Amino acid sequence: MTMRDNQIVDSSFTAIINAPIEKIDIPAWCFSLPEKEYQGCSPAHIAAGFTTAPDGTRMSINVETIGGSLMVQHYLETLGEKTHLILDSDSDVFTPTGRVVIHVTWELSVKALDKDRCEFTNRVQSFATDEMMAGLDRQGIPFEVFRTQRQPMSIAHNKGETPLFAASIERFALRNQQSSIAA
């Protein structure tokens, strides 16, 4: 079975950032995001931090609750360009029937609309791991039933956090713009 066969959700939303594209630096924002700022981007966000993997790869740690399940995400940077960040995580999900691991790809990107505005895209894809599929099998839960129940919660979460992430990135970009003007 391929990852595409195991896809739980593929959700993408956009929002406007009122800042010039040359001021946007998504990796700098992500890997310096204060916990209170992260919490302000969704009522489901609990905690955030950043560290490095043993090989030195930057990592964002996010804790949130989606659909009543606590998630601990260990996002490794797989692409880090100023206007495009891709993070991959084998995330721990704590469900009523125990802990499972799902794979999540979180992709954040911006494209210029004009000299003062950008379109931000927040895309989240999640996939069942072999371990999770085995757990669903042991419980007699068809994957399609699980996927159908999980999708609306994940999509609603992404839809709600996207404009708030865009606003946070905008504040970060404009703060940096003020810092460079003052210097």
Side-chain angles (χ1 to χ4, degrees), residues 74-86:
H74 319 269
Y75 284 116
L76 291 169
E77 180 180 29
T78 55
L79 175 73
E81 300 170 354
K82 287 180 73 168
T83 60
H84 194 187
L85 177 64
I86 298 176

Side-chain angles (χ1 to χ4, degrees), residues 3 6-11 71 102-105 124-128 143 150 154:
M3 277 293 247
N6 287 0
Q7 188 167 59
I8 301 165
V9 71
D10 185 352
S11 169
M71 294 185 71
I102 67 169
H103 183 83
V104 181
T105 299
V124 177
Q125 299 176 80
S126 62
F127 303 89
F143 178 68
R150 186 75 183 172
S154 296

Side-chain angles (χ1 to χ4, degrees), residues 66 69-72 91-95 98-102 150:
I66 298 178
S69 295
L70 182 69
M71 294 185 71
V72 179
S91 299
D92 299 302
V93 182
F94 297 88
T95 72
R99 178 179 157 263
V100 296
V101 175
I102 67 169
R150 186 75 183 172

Side-chain angles (χ1 to χ4, degrees), residues 17-29:
I17 294 176
N18 294 300
I21 197 162
E22 61 271 6
K23 298 298 177 188
I24 305 293
D25 189 334
I26 297 172
W29 166 81

Side-chain angles (χ1 to χ4, degrees), residues 10-72:
D10 185 352
S11 169
S12 185
F13 291 95
T14 61
I16 301 300
I17 294 176
N18 294 300
I21 197 162
E22 61 271 6
K23 298 298 177 188
I24 305 293
D25 189 334
I26 297 172
W29 166 81
C30 180
F31 295 111
S32 66
L33 185 63
E35 186 170 73
K36 285 287 183 202
E37 184 83 4
Y38 174 75
Q39 291 168 340
C41 291
S42 172
H45 291 174
I46 298 166
F50 42 91
T51 188
T52 55
D55 68 359
T57 303
R58 291 190 289 188
M59 179 187 290
S60 173
I61 307 291
N62 298 343
V63 180
E64 61 188 348
T65 303
I66 298 178
S69 295
L70 182 69
M71 294 185 71
V72 179

